[in-house]
Amino acid sequence: MATTVDKFLNPKLTISLSDIVQKGKTRLANISDNKGNPIKIVLAKDCSLRTPWNVSSFDGGARCTLDIIMNDQLEKLVNKVDDAVLAWVKANPERYFKNPPKDLTEWYKSLRKEAAKEGYANTLRCKCTMGENKASFKCWDADRNLMTYDEIRNIDWPESVLACEVALRGVYFQSNTFGPMLEVVSAMVKKEDDACPFEEVADRSDE
């Protein structure tokens, strides 16, 4: 069952990592809460989140990134994940690396993507898969109709607002880098309403 960002930020909810699990070519440590449950988080229940870019792949493959513009709550969420993962790995470095560096922070890759220019917001890096005919997540439109794969592919993400649920899948480990993975589980997307909220008032004043 998914939790809210506020509940995830509760100090009573703690994070732990498993030993390395080999999944294909990926070395992954599973993440669980203090009750041993996987962690799913509703980033927003209403369509209030935005992304500056379309869902895209770095190398043209099926694995894609959805970068969500961060607000104060999402910044706190990332801080909690960063602190917990780094503390856990620093306390158990030999469990995850053959030759760990003195400062593991140098190898750590946060969920936070720092803004490239001053004045722009940081973004939260979320992953999903867009295969040839199937998406790895469910998506609904503003009328709560389940969207088809083709409809998802044609979403103009920067011109939309969304609600989103994600899963903290685990922490990946490579030879000299590691970091947590957020996977998109479901989303609701609607076209952003660009209408001026005062237009109707102005129209009525002319009557």
Side-chain angles (χ1 to χ4, degrees), residues 8-204:
F8 176 78
L9 294 175
N10 189 320
K12 292 182 179 179
L13 191 154
T14 58
I15 296 171
S16 61
L17 274 62
S18 72
D19 288 335
I20 294 290
V21 178
Q22 193 77 32
K23 294 186 177 181
K25 296 181 179 180
T26 305
R27 299 173 66 245
L28 190 72
N30 294 319
I31 289 180
S32 58
D33 63 18
N34 43 296
K35 295 182 179 179
N37 298 319
I39 300 173
K40 293 183 179 181
I41 309 167
V42 177
L43 300 181
K45 291 183 177 180
D46 58 346
C47 292
S48 58
L49 302 174
R50 296 197 61 184
T51 175
W53 305 289
N54 278 310
V55 172
S56 60
S57 170
F58 176 75
D59 58 2
R63 287 296 284 172
C64 297
T65 301
L66 170 62
D67 288 322
I68 295 174
I69 295 173
M70 295 177 67
N71 53 33
D72 289 343
Q73 287 294 85
L74 296 185
E75 290 281 2
K76 292 176 183 177
L77 181 152
V78 172
N79 288 340
K80 177 167 182 173
V81 174
D82 287 349
D83 291 346
V85 171
L86 277 168
W88 187 276
V89 177
K90 285 180 178 180
N92 308 275
E94 289 78 14
R95 291 172 62 180
Y96 302 103
F97 294 103
K98 289 184 179 179
N99 299 297
K102 291 182 178 180
D103 184 7
L104 279 164
T105 307
E106 296 177 358
W107 285 6
Y108 183 73
K109 188 172 183 179
S110 173
L111 292 169
R112 179 188 292 106
K113 186 176 181 180
E114 299 285 350
K117 296 181 180 180
E118 186 177 350
Y120 288 77
N122 297 332
T123 54
L124 178 66
R125 186 184 293 107
C126 304
K127 305 298 289 187
C128 61
T129 300
M130 296 291 292
E132 293 183 2
N133 54 15
K134 186 178 181 181
S136 62
F137 61 98
K138 293 183 178 180
C139 193
W140 288 265
D141 63 21
D143 297 319
R144 298 183 182 275
N145 297 312
L146 190 62
M147 300 177 72
T148 66
Y149 173 77
D150 288 336
E151 288 172 334
I152 296 173
R153 293 283 294 188
N154 290 323
I155 293 174
D156 186 352
W157 292 92
E159 297 299 323
S160 302
V161 287
L162 65 147
C164 189
E165 178 185 334
V166 296
L168 195 52
R169 290 296 189 204
V171 177
Y172 69 88
F173 289 88
Q174 297 176 352
S175 58
N176 60 356
T177 185
F178 69 106
M181 296 171 55
L182 269 186
E183 187 85 11
V184 179
V185 175
S186 60
M188 178 179 286
V189 181
K190 70 176 182 179
K191 192 77 172 177
E192 186 174 23
D193 184 6
D194 292 326
C196 173
F198 303 110
E199 284 181 354
E200 186 178 350
V201 176
D203 291 341
R204 288 181 179 178

